[in-house]
Amino acid sequence: MTDQIIINNAQREKAKAFLRMHQTEGMFVIPNAWDAASAYIYEKAGFAAVATTSAGIAYALGYPDGEQVSLEDLLFVVKKITGRVQIPVSVDFERGYAEEPAQVKENARRLLAAGAVGFNLEDGQADGRLSPLELQVQKIQALCELALPFVINARTCAYWLNIGSEGEKLAEAVRRGNAFTEAGADCVFVPGAMNQETARALASGIHAPLNLILNGVYHDFMGLAKLGVRRLSTGSGPVRYLCEETMKMAEKIKDGDVDAVLQSTFSYAKANAFFQK
């Protein structure tokens, strides 16, 4: 199968539209979905694009985060999402489900064939360290060899894994972000809890559109936009919130307390009407 066969014109246009969102001034919020239903809810709420959350997909399938979900399961979920929504879908690709750049490229090709128009590719390892920079650059370069329209959102986990002091984290995130950009990344993702000054330093130091994650330290949308942040992800926050609410509900049902469930205003008829295509 050649690279030119795997996506149709509609998917190409979605990919181009998604790329323009990163190239246009101002910040956009991209919610993270874990299944077709959550993606559909986000689309109906008016979001222009949606991204998957590896943690959310893992939780929905009953696993912890961290490539516990197989590539085949990820492909299945992505196909279900892209088959249900019309907006661009970006995929949390974790470490690419491989360490060899050529295999990362092949895995990405399969996800493109499933309808994806973007990838998050991260450098965080299970042992709490960052992947060698040279390897991450090679993975990004391998993705670029596909020569197809899609957005590479290169993630560095310097803050997520709390690598070193504040100064060391900032320097490493900027160093890696700019190296990823030179390798061909369209956007740089630096997730983690950070204050306003750190967000400003990252936005000015990284020479590419900056993606941050919703966090409890600083999450003023207008303020982040003014600092130069281009893309804001919700991460696994929404799915964790719903999991917690479901756990509370399960405990109540176990104890015979079903009032909240029976009093829900989202009736069977309303649910069917909402999910009607």
Side-chain angles (χ1 to χ4, degrees):
M1 179 181 292
T2 67
D3 296 339
Q4 297 303 315
I5 295 175
I6 63 177
I7 66 174
N8 58 32
N9 288 334
Q11 188 175 343
R12 286 177 180 274
E13 291 306 311
K14 287 180 186 179
K16 292 176 182 177
F18 190 44
L19 180 59
R20 286 195 297 271
M21 291 172 65
H22 295 76
Q23 298 172 336
T24 304
E25 290 297 322
M27 186 183 79
F28 68 94
V29 178
I30 185 165
N32 293 90
W34 52 95
D35 58 13
S38 55
Y40 185 71
I41 289 170
Y42 287 137
E43 181 181 50
K44 291 197 74 170
F47 286 96
V50 67
T52 67
T53 157
S54 66
I57 291 176
Y59 302 155
L61 294 176
Y63 298 98
D65 190 23
E67 289 194 5
Q68 299 295 307
V69 173
S70 70
L71 179 62
E72 295 303 321
D73 281 341
L74 177 61
L75 284 162
F76 175 83
V77 174
V78 170
K79 287 178 183 178
K80 291 298 182 182
I81 292 174
T82 59
R84 192 68 182 100
V85 301
Q86 299 301 310
I87 55 178
V89 176
S90 181
V91 175
D92 187 341
F93 199 24
E94 300 194 62
R95 294 176 52 76
Y97 283 79
E99 290 306 302
E100 288 296 323
Q103 187 60 53
V104 172
K105 174 183 174 182
E106 172 58 19
N107 294 343
R109 186 193 64 75
R110 296 183 66 191
L111 284 165
L112 286 170
V117 298
F119 302 109
N120 279 15
L121 183 68
E122 67 186 62
D123 62 2
Q125 299 182 145
D127 61 6
R129 297 184 297 174
L130 299 179
S131 175
L133 178 56
E134 182 180 0
L135 176 60
Q136 288 303 115
V137 165
Q138 290 172 350
K139 287 182 178 182
I140 293 169
Q141 291 172 334
L143 291 180
C144 292
E145 291 174 1
L146 287 166
L148 293 165
F150 60 89
V151 173
I152 300 175
N153 192 31
R155 165 176 166 168
T156 177
C157 296
Y159 281 87
W160 191 259
L161 296 178
N162 197 28
I163 303 298
S165 67
E166 287 301 310
E168 290 170 334
K169 286 196 289 274
L170 177 60
E172 188 64 10
V174 170
R175 182 174 81 96
R176 285 178 173 253
N178 286 327
F180 297 162
T181 303
E182 292 177 6
D186 303 290
C187 186
V188 173
F189 185 22
V190 188
M194 59 187 65
N195 59 28
Q196 183 177 2
E197 290 307 312
T198 299
R200 177 183 288 110
L202 288 170
S204 62
I206 294 175
H207 309 309
L210 176 65
N211 180 191
L212 296 184
I213 198 168
L214 189 65
N215 70 87
V217 176
Y218 184 67
H219 50 263
D220 180 82
F221 283 16
M222 292 293 292
L224 288 168
K226 289 179 180 178
L227 293 179
V229 175
R230 187 65 51 81
R231 169 173 167 172
L232 182 65
S233 301
T234 62
S236 64
V239 70
R240 287 186 286 104
Y241 168 79
L242 291 177
C243 282
E244 183 178 39
E245 290 301 305
T246 302
M247 286 186 282
K248 292 177 183 177
M249 177 187 66
E251 288 297 323
K252 288 182 178 180
I253 292 175
K254 185 179 66 175
D255 295 335
D257 182 357
V258 297
D259 288 348
V261 173
L262 295 178
Q263 292 171 8
S264 170
T265 60
F266 194 46
S267 67
Y268 177 78
K270 285 182 179 179
N272 276 345
F274 181 87
F275 286 105
Q276 183 68 41
K277 191 69 172 179

